[in-house]
Amino acid sequence: DARSRRWHPLMIRWCIYLRHLSSSAYEAIRDSGCIRLPSQRTLRDYTHYVKTTVGFSAEVGRQLMERASMQTCPEREKYVVLVLDEMHIKEELVYDKQTGKMI
């Protein structure tokens, strides 16, 4: 059964990268049948595991602090740059299906 397939983490990372380059090319390769690839829904589950909110996410902050633990990092990994980007979203009502609220 294809739904119970377990994907190797390197395969998932490669597929996410490939889909990032071109989702239509990813689907063309997947539909060709020459190589078995996970569905776009499976990839979405891997890339959307943190609930996004307006502003800086406490969960993302916690993960950053975990990874930047100075006690376990070698000297060369103690220099960190945090780059933030902003985006403007068209002003309309948006429905969040996870909470059932209008945003």
Side-chain angles (χ1 to χ4, degrees), residues 24-96:
S24 59
Y26 181 83
E27 279 304 311
I29 293 170
R30 188 169 182 269
D31 292 342
S32 73
C34 62
I35 183 171
R36 200 171 278 210
L37 298 175
S39 69
Q40 292 216 30
R41 174 61 196 204
T42 299
L43 298 181
R44 185 184 184 288
D45 290 345
Y46 277 95
T47 57
H48 291 79
Y49 65 92
V50 173
K51 172 75 174 104
T52 57
T53 58
V54 175
F56 195 79
S57 168
E59 175 65 17
V60 171
R62 185 191 63 72
Q63 288 179 5
L64 286 171
M65 293 304 290
E66 252 180 41
R67 294 213 177 168
S69 173
M70 293 301 172
Q71 298 170 353
T72 59
C73 286
E75 186 64 33
R76 69 180 183 278
E77 294 179 6
K78 289 185 180 181
Y79 299 98
V80 178
V81 175
L82 182 60
V83 179
L84 300 175
D85 194 5
E86 63 181 76
M87 62 182 177
H88 182 274
I89 300 174
K90 184 177 177 183
E91 295 180 17
E92 290 184 11
L93 291 178
V94 177
Y95 178 72
D96 184 349

